[in-house]
Each structure stands twice: as structure tokens, then as C-alpha cells.
Amino acid sequence: MYDETLRAQKELVLCEDGSNTLYSKEFDEPYHSTKDGALHESLEKHVKPSFSLKSHKDTLTILDICFGLGYNTFATLYYIKKHNIKTKVHILSPEFDEGLVRSLDTFDFPSEFESIKPIIHAISQNLFYEDEQFKIEILLGDARESITKIEEHIDIVYQDAFSPAHNPLLWTYEWFRDVRAICNDDAILTTYSTAAAIRLGLYENGFSIFIHRAELMRYSTVASLQMLEDLEYIDMELKKIRNTEARSMKDKDYLENMHS
Ligand SMILES: C[S@@+](CC[C@H](N)C(=O)[O-])C[C@H]1O[C@@H](n2cnc3c(N)ncnc32)[C@H](O)[C@@H]1O
């Protein structure tokens, strides 16, 4: 049973695209932009930019930070099936709210996820799913701990934690250093954040920064360990000259608030 105290900390919210999300009272923030919509945001900010760059690969390993309601993972499966993409995909997703993942079987997901309901069911039961094309693993516990234990090499990172203001330890220089350490040399990272501090944390760890212009929503960020041809490049050295106050976030400024 999903712990009643934790359930009480969340409220169901209908987004403008018609998909449902939750509002976290603990983090004082919705799980998705209610304006952009949970499904639309997953597809436009994470899945589409990633697969437009990587769908030619035979295998892909994706780090989905953090699992939450699973929209990014489920939208990935939906997109792959819809476009008949043959890539084998392994998704690793840290999450410390086990009760939330276990409750997803009864969550009212959009009709687009109808065909993957058995996968949602398996994940809510076992925190794991595997077939010939997909392997999905929820890494239970604090993402800061889990990431140091990952042995796979990551091709795509969906950086979709609660906002830097509300969950800073998943946005610091040190966090991105740990992310970088498990990435392949041509890995990309997608995130809704366009903040200078976040882009600097990525840049200082070797990522080049690009603007992704999504459909019907605010632009977002794609970071890449290799130069990308088709996206708008941001010259971070120039940004640093123009904004001398900008700094990446550092663990030491937030550690006393770290989740135990
Ligand atoms: C914005 S939501 C993620 C939404 C998710 N990507 C989706 O598509 O539904 C952030 C999630 O991060 C989890 N979380 C926050 N801090 C964490 C940490 N330190 N370790 C693991 N999970 C964490 C929360 O429980 C929440 O489920």
C-alpha cells in the first residue's frame, strides 16, 4: 500500500495538454509544467530532441533523472513504438519515492500510453521490466548515491529533477561531474532548465550547450559532449564575459539540506 502520508503530500493536477500530473507539497512544485503539459513536455523537451540525434544507434542507454510518474520513460516507449524505431533501449532511472512508483498502476495516464499499460503494470509491481527491445530499471534510493554505482555507459540523460531552487543537489557542478563520469563520449543531456548556473555546471564538466526550440513551448537546453551541427550553439565563454556574476551551483552551498 502507498503510504498515506506521502499520498497526502501530492495533489492531482490536470495540465493544459489534457494529461495529468501531480503537485508535490514536499517540494512545493508540480511534477511537470502544467502549461506545457506532462506528456507534451516529455516528448518535446526530452524524447524528440534525443531521438532526432540518436535513433540511428542499435542500442541506447538512457539515464532518466528522476522517474517520478515515469512520463519520460513511458513517452520514450510510446515514441519508439509509434515510429517503429528498432533501437534496443535500456533505461536506468533513480527515484527515492518507492510508493509513488508502486502507485502508478492506478494513475490516470493519457490514452497514448494505452498500449504500454502492461509495462506500466510490471514497473509498478517489480520496479523493473524487460523484453526483447526494452529494459527498464528503477534505481531505488537517493540519486546522488545511485549514480555512483551505475556501471553502464550512458548515451542520453533526461535531466528532469524538480527545479534547481527546490532540489538543488540534483543540479550542482558535482552532480553533473558524476553524470559525466558515466557518459559515453558522444552523450547528450536534455533539460528544461535554461538558467546560466545550470548551463555553467554542465559546461564546466565538458558539455557544449545548445538551444532546443520545442513545439508550442518555451525553448529548452540540449547539452552534448560532442559538437552538434543542427542546433543553435551557445558560446559559454562569451556568456561568462557578459555575466561575470554567474556561477555553477556547488554542493557545499546546499549539503545541509541534503535528503537522507
Ligand atoms: C520533477 S519529478 C520527475 C518527473 C518525471 N521525470 C516524470 O516524467 O514523471 C522529480 C522526481 O525526483 C524525485 N527525487 C527528488 N530528489 C531525489 C533524489 N535525491 N533521489 C531520487 N529521487 C529524487 C522525486 O521523488 C520526484 O519523483
Side-chain angles (χ1 to χ4, degrees), residues 31-32 66-72 95-96 141-143 160 162 167:
Y31 281 64
H32 299 89
C66 292
F67 193 75
L69 297 167
Y71 267 97
N72 292 340
E95 175 58 59
F96 60 22
D142 191 321
D160 193 28
F162 284 119
N167 201 5

Side-chain angles (χ1 to χ4, degrees), residues 86-117:
K86 299 294 176 210
T87 311
K88 282 192 170 193
V89 172
H90 182 184
I91 301 179
L92 297 154
S93 189
E95 175 58 59
F96 60 22
D97 190 346
E98 177 177 357
L100 174 63
V101 183
R102 292 202 181 276
S103 76
L104 294 181
D105 208 14
T106 55
F107 190 80
D108 192 7
F109 282 112
S111 58
E112 283 84 347
F113 291 174
E114 204 53 41
S115 72
I116 56 168
K117 270 200 158 166

Side-chain angles (χ1 to χ4, degrees), residues 7-257:
R7 190 195 291 276
Q9 287 173 2
K10 301 178 181 80
E11 268 169 16
L12 191 67
V13 184
L14 178 63
C15 303
E16 286 189 20
D17 72 342
S19 59
N20 289 312
T21 189
L22 292 176
Y23 185 88
S24 165
K25 293 184 189 166
E26 184 191 358
F27 286 93
D28 193 18
E29 203 167 275
Y31 281 64
H32 299 89
S33 155
T34 52
K35 185 164 186 332
D36 293 340
L39 176 62
H40 192 218
E41 186 177 31
S42 284
L43 285 170
E44 295 299 329
K45 292 186 187 163
H46 300 286
V47 182
K48 285 191 192 174
S50 298
F51 278 81
S52 73
L53 291 164
K54 299 285 182 197
S55 63
H56 61 281
K57 294 242 184 179
D58 292 337
T59 63
L60 284 173
T61 305
I62 299 176
L63 180 65
D64 182 6
I65 305 292
C66 292
F67 193 75
L69 297 167
Y71 267 97
N72 292 340
T73 288
F74 301 145
T76 302
L77 306 192
Y78 161 72
Y79 185 87
I80 289 175
K81 283 171 179 276
K82 185 176 175 198
H83 295 278
N84 206 15
I85 295 168
K86 299 294 176 210
T87 311
K88 282 192 170 193
V89 172
H90 182 184
I91 301 179
L92 297 154
S93 189
E95 175 58 59
F96 60 22
D97 190 346
E98 177 177 357
L100 174 63
V101 183
R102 292 202 181 276
S103 76
L104 294 181
D105 208 14
T106 55
F107 190 80
D108 192 7
F109 282 112
S111 58
E112 283 84 347
F113 291 174
E114 204 53 41
S115 72
I116 56 168
K117 270 200 158 166
I119 302 181
I120 297 175
H121 176 72
I123 290 173
S124 71
Q125 293 288 305
N126 311 320
L127 311 171
F128 180 84
Y129 175 81
E130 186 168 17
D131 62 23
E132 309 75 47
Q133 189 175 13
F134 304 118
K135 182 172 174 182
I136 302 161
E137 291 179 78
I138 311 299
L139 310 178
L140 266 195
D142 191 321
R144 291 298 301 258
E145 298 275 323
S146 307
I147 196 151
T148 63
K149 299 187 186 120
I150 292 175
E151 290 177 354
E152 286 79 1
H153 298 286
I154 306 298
D155 300 295
I156 296 168
V157 182
Y158 298 152
Q159 171 68 25
D160 193 28
F162 284 119
S163 68
H166 293 185
N167 201 5
L169 285 164
L170 295 183
W171 297 93
T172 60
Y173 166 85
E174 292 85 356
W175 164 251
F176 290 127
R177 183 192 59 202
D178 290 350
V179 169
R180 165 65 186 102
I182 55 168
C183 280
N184 279 322
D185 286 342
D186 62 350
I188 59 158
L189 176 148
T190 55
T191 181
Y192 62 86
S193 177
T194 56
I198 304 313
R199 287 175 164 174
L200 272 175
L202 287 161
Y203 178 68
E204 289 163 3
N205 280 294
F207 286 90
S208 297
I209 309 297
F210 300 85
I211 295 177
H212 169 63
R213 297 195 189 277
E215 270 176 47
L216 299 173
M217 62 176 69
R218 214 175 146 259
Y219 62 93
S220 60
T221 298
V222 172
S224 172
L225 291 170
Q226 278 186 351
M227 197 44 77
L228 301 174
E229 295 305 325
D230 298 329
L231 288 174
E232 198 176 321
Y233 173 70
I234 298 190
D235 184 339
M236 292 304 291
E237 287 304 318
L238 195 61
K239 289 272 173 199
K240 285 200 293 190
I241 293 167
R242 290 194 179 146
N243 182 358
T244 51
E245 305 285 291
R247 298 277 181 280
S248 56
M249 295 165 68
K250 300 290 187 314
D251 273 0
K252 65 176 171 47
D253 296 325
Y254 304 100
L255 269 174
E256 67 276 13
N257 299 323

